[in-house]
Amino acid sequence: MEENFKKEYQKSRLIGEILVEQGLIDPEQLTQALEVQRKKGDYICTTIIKLGFAKPQEVFKVLGQQLGVEYVELTKGKIDPKAVEKVPAKIALHYKLMPYKFEGKKLVIALTDPVNIHKLDDLKLLLDIDIKPVLSYEKEILENIHKYYGVGADTLEAIMARTDVGEKTKERASSIEDLELAVEEASIIKFVNQIFTQAVEERATDVHLEPYENELRVRFRIDGFLYELPIPESIKLFHNAIVSRVKIMANLDIAEHRLPQDGRIKIRVKKEELDLRVSVLPSYFGESVQIRILSSKSFLGLEHLGLLEDDLKNIETFLNKPYGIVFVTGPTGSGKSTTLYACLSKKNQPGVKIVTTEDPIEYQMRGITQIQVHPRIGLTFAAGLRSILRHDPDIIMVGEVRDLETAEITIRSAMTGHLVFSTLHTNDAPSAPVRLIEMDIEPFLVASSLEGIVAQRLVRVVCPHCKQPVSVSSGVFVREGLAVDSENVETFTGKGCEKCRFTGFKGRTGIFEILVVNDEIRDLIFKRATSQTIQEKGLSYGMHTLRQDGLRKVLEGITTLSEVMRVT
């Protein structure tokens, strides 16, 4: 009887009071949470979690005890696929519930409000099965719905439910008129928007829609790696309509399926302006779409690129030069454009005229004149550069030196009193002057115009939420010329958690190799020295290689040894 009294007493008390009593939050935090709750209308538990006052597991465990309902942490439990099959996607999303498992003839479902009698009665009627409700956190429920049902599962169910649309999609939209009707369906529009929203939420830089014989694969590139998105199998039926919807948004020709097409889309997701670069390629099983997501949030200042103090000083020295060329080198996707924009942003002042020629313009910057290259109409890098010189710029940026003509004009621009920034595809910094000479540029022109070369790569950063120390042998550091005192050094690795998709990494940073072109380096370039000889001379003047810079960041706990070895 005393036990029953305790339970009833616990239920009658407010959850905030219990959290304070158990020391999970203090009275001031409760007062602050109540003020926020009054303004936004959330549950007090959700408000406390969002404000970071307590962890979801702690709060919901107490809430479960108060309500007399079991609390289930979905990320740690094993969800039964048969339970998922029992509940349609539209019901799971509408009621914000996750089927968990079967207990005898009862279906256990996780909800945020498991004591809502009206909702439970509705679900029992809709699913025609006895239900046992358990408590879970809304974020965990939604994440598991996306994981087990796939993005847009409810949308695809709604489309398939309509027989007229279903029949047309099964016939692969036999005519352009049929396709246009399918594309204008609100459900198709909603599904494409759901993919974009999910991509932004997961910090994806690229979205890939890849058709195969019996499937349409959707993948996101996150921190440089591709991850497959869970998508319902029925999506293959809507491939043509989805691609056409993307084409319409990018102002491309939906009737053209044989030629590659490129376009761009401007969208707003969660109050953030996004610029999407769309590339459509005809493949054997249909059109493949690649979408690059460019966000103003991904624009970084020079101080946030991952440059260590000595490298930052070298780049600032380049920026203060009155003329000459600074090349940023590396493969596609190594962050070259981000570095160039950070440099231009540093020099973007009212008294400085900056003009760029780019393909494409990735970030629009106020105060800088930016030119989009259009080779089909004759506006190449070289043609744009000739016109730029008539505008009396102080600083010029050339998106990429691809050919002899562009290289010659770029170098002559530097020699006539302009500071020029550009990119070049080489594996390291010492290879850049050799590549220019191989393009048939005279060695004396290369030697006299070059001021500095920055080679870079991107490495993944250890997740701060699951970071833990690990001891490794100092041998690899010593072999690369780094001073290490002991036989073993303490580094860090990510254990893997929800916030990093259990990869142990979250975000990326740069590793750099910076060659300052002094008189001795110029002399070697003039003599057509090999990249190996230039590298040895650079190292004698304090240059460090990409691997050395990566290992320095390992010692600082920024990244891991395996990640640096993978990239270098």
Side-chain angles (χ1 to χ4, degrees), residues 292-305:
R292 167 66 58 89
I293 301 172
L294 299 171
S295 165
S296 56
K297 285 186 180 177
S298 57
F299 176 77
L300 300 173
L302 204 56
E303 298 79 11
H304 302 105
L305 298 178

Side-chain angles (χ1 to χ4, degrees), residues 287-559:
E287 289 176 291
S288 179
V289 181
Q290 190 267 348
I291 302 163
R292 167 66 58 89
I293 301 172
L294 299 171
S295 165
S296 56
K297 285 186 180 177
S298 57
F299 176 77
L300 300 173
L302 204 56
E303 298 79 11
H304 302 105
L305 298 178
L307 291 156
L308 297 180
E309 191 177 349
D310 53 343
D311 286 338
L312 188 58
K313 285 180 180 176
N314 281 332
I315 288 188
E316 286 176 345
T317 301
F318 299 154
L319 292 175
N320 291 324
K321 295 280 184 181
Y323 52 82
I325 299 179
V326 178
F327 277 111
V328 181
T329 77
T332 302
S334 59
K336 299 188 298 295
S337 296
T338 302
T339 300
L340 285 174
Y341 280 111
C343 290
L344 292 183
S345 178
K346 191 83 172 178
K347 296 295 290 183
N348 188 11
Q349 299 162 4
V352 180
K353 172 80 170 180
I354 304 175
V355 186
T356 73
T357 174
E358 308 170 55
D359 184 23
I361 297 171
E362 293 193 16
Y363 304 104
Q364 294 177 353
M365 300 179 70
R366 186 179 179 277
I368 295 177
T369 303
Q370 296 173 273
I371 302 168
Q372 170 68 55
V373 169
H374 289 289
R376 289 182 181 177
I377 60 171
L379 181 53
T380 60
F381 281 118
L385 195 48
R386 285 195 191 93
S387 298
I388 285 172
L389 294 174
R390 300 190 194 107
H391 284 248
D392 189 28
D394 298 297
I395 297 173
I396 299 168
M397 186 184 91
V398 182
E400 185 184 340
V401 171
R402 296 175 180 172
D403 51 51
L404 174 61
E405 185 183 14
T406 307
E408 281 182 337
I409 301 171
T410 303
I411 285 173
R412 294 192 186 279
S413 300
M415 294 179 70
T416 53
H418 303 91
L419 181 58
V420 183
F421 294 92
S422 189
T423 67
L424 200 62
H425 285 284
T426 62
N427 289 327
D428 55 22
S431 298
V434 177
R435 175 65 54 84
L436 291 167
I437 292 168
E438 286 173 352
M439 284 183 178
D440 286 337
I441 303 292
E442 289 294 334
F444 77 90
L445 291 174
V446 177
S448 58
S449 61
L450 267 181
E451 291 296 336
I453 305 152
V454 181
Q456 70 178 75
R457 299 288 188 280
L458 293 176
V459 293
R460 292 179 294 172
V461 174
V462 176
C463 175
H465 304 286
C466 59
K467 196 174 187 178
Q468 60 183 20
V470 60
S471 181
V472 298
S473 171
S474 62
V476 66
F477 299 94
V478 174
R479 283 195 297 274
E480 291 296 329
L482 297 180
V484 179
D485 298 331
S486 57
E487 288 185 9
N488 293 301
V489 294
E490 185 179 79
T491 63
F492 288 86
T493 187
K495 185 181 178 181
C497 63
E498 295 171 49
K499 294 185 183 293
C500 63
R501 299 173 63 97
F502 298 95
T503 62
F505 298 97
K506 189 173 183 184
R508 289 190 291 176
T509 191
I511 57 173
F512 300 88
E513 175 181 289
I514 299 180
L515 177 64
V516 178
V517 181
N518 58 21
D519 289 340
E520 292 200 34
I521 300 290
R522 292 186 207 282
D523 189 49
L524 290 175
I525 295 170
F526 183 73
K527 293 176 180 177
R528 296 177 183 265
T530 63
S531 58
Q532 180 66 36
T533 306
I534 294 171
Q535 183 185 58
E536 288 170 1
K537 181 61 71 176
L539 291 171
S540 72
Y541 280 104
M543 182 188 90
H544 49 258
T545 64
L546 285 163
R547 180 170 290 183
Q548 285 174 337
D549 190 47
L551 293 176
R552 292 196 300 172
K553 289 181 169 71
V554 171
L555 292 173
E556 292 200 4
I558 296 169
T559 188

Side-chain angles (χ1 to χ4, degrees), residues 216-250:
L216 175 63
R217 186 162 67 168
V218 179
R219 295 195 288 175
F220 290 166
R221 188 176 293 279
I222 303 168
D223 294 336
F225 279 73
L226 283 170
Y227 297 93
E228 191 158 353
L229 194 67
I231 290 287
E233 290 182 10
S234 56
I235 190 177
K236 177 64 178 175
L237 296 171
F238 308 99
H239 170 233
N240 287 340
I242 292 166
V243 172
S244 296
R245 171 60 190 163
V246 174
K247 282 184 177 181
I248 286 171
M249 293 175 75

Side-chain angles (χ1 to χ4, degrees), residues 209 211 239 243 247 256-262 279-290:
L209 305 173
H239 170 233
V243 172
K247 282 184 177 181
E256 179 56 72
H257 304 289
R258 300 165 300 168
L259 296 173
Q261 296 188 67
D262 294 308
S279 177
V280 182
L281 283 176
S283 70
Y284 188 75
F285 292 109
E287 289 176 291
S288 179
V289 181
Q290 190 267 348

